[in-house]
Amino acid sequence: MMPNLKETKEFLDNKFAGFKPEVAVIVGSGLGGIAGALAKPVTIPYAEIPNFPKSTVAGHAGEMVFGELAGKRVLVLSGRFHLYEGRSLEEVVFPVHVVDALGVKVLLVTNAAGGINPVFNPGDLMLIEDHINHLGVNPLIEFRENGEVKFLDMTQAYSSRLREKLDAAAEKAQLTLRRGVYLATTGPSYETPAEVKTFAWWGADAVGMSTVPEVILARYHNIEVAGISCITNLAAGISSKKLSHDEVLEVGKASQAKLAKLLGEFLSLL
Ligand code: HPA
């Protein structure tokens, strides 16, 4: 284990006092409120966690919340790190190393995304079936396993077992769950309409600025991954409306209750 990771794990083990999280949830822009669904919550600001990067983006609280939901011990990471903040990939994926070090075996990633698929509407939730890495970088570039480059299989990046559970959870919660492929760009500029058209040809249903590095690293650690995108807006050119971060946050916030309901049902099925 990396020496700085050991220190972080020891700090958190001490804070958790015997609480062993089973499921971790990384929440995206404007979606941090789902931590409010946890019973017996304990909050640790990222600023207090040794070696943890600090959050700087509006709409990202920057705290860990652990507690119980639907009988499961859950760790919510409210606030993530993005390449568009000028973060290194190492910082972006550090929380996933921590989640692994804590022994978590299931990770749910959520994000805000622009809808490319023409049937999507703002406020929809989309089950991520697969992703396209358009970041131009990969967190495993830095990694060596016994001195060797790790060529990681990504055919089942998003676990089919967990996708079935999310489908069943949506049915129980009486929510419509869209499904599709998430494409990640670095941002922070939104896409041009020409880029969105290209991404549609490539098979992308939604576009965002996160998630892919964390998912690659989670798969490296053999953590089972599920993902949900909150479609906060129609991607550039799909509608003629200008895109704004405020709107992304606003629609994200309005979707939190739906997401929390889905999460509760999902956890009860695990
Ligand atoms: N593009 C990229 N990232 C996003 C979008 C978008 O339209 N909406 C929310 N995050």
Side-chain angles (χ1 to χ4, degrees), residues 54-77:
K54 313 291 174 249
S55 216
T56 60
V57 182
H60 288 259
E63 58 192 27
M64 258 187 201
V65 186
F66 62 96
E68 290 172 9
L69 185 58
K72 299 291 184 308
R73 297 183 302 276
V74 182
L75 177 65
V76 174
L77 289 99

Side-chain angles (χ1 to χ4, degrees), residues 198-212:
T198 307
F199 299 160
W201 288 333
W202 290 356
D205 295 285
V207 55
M209 303 175 189
S210 68
T211 302
V212 163

Side-chain angles (χ1 to χ4, degrees), residues 112-115 185 190-191 207-209 232-236 243 248:
T185 68
Y190 288 109
E191 303 67 43
V207 55
M209 303 175 189
T232 52
N233 57 281
L234 301 181
L243 306 194
V248 167

Side-chain angles (χ1 to χ4, degrees), residues 131-152:
H131 74 218
I132 297 172
N133 180 4
H134 188 51
L135 298 170
V137 288
N138 187 304
L140 297 183
I141 288 173
E142 309 283 325
F143 261 75
R144 296 293 176 274
E145 218 174 54
N146 308 318
E148 302 281 333
V149 171
K150 176 72 185 170
F151 294 97
L152 181 72

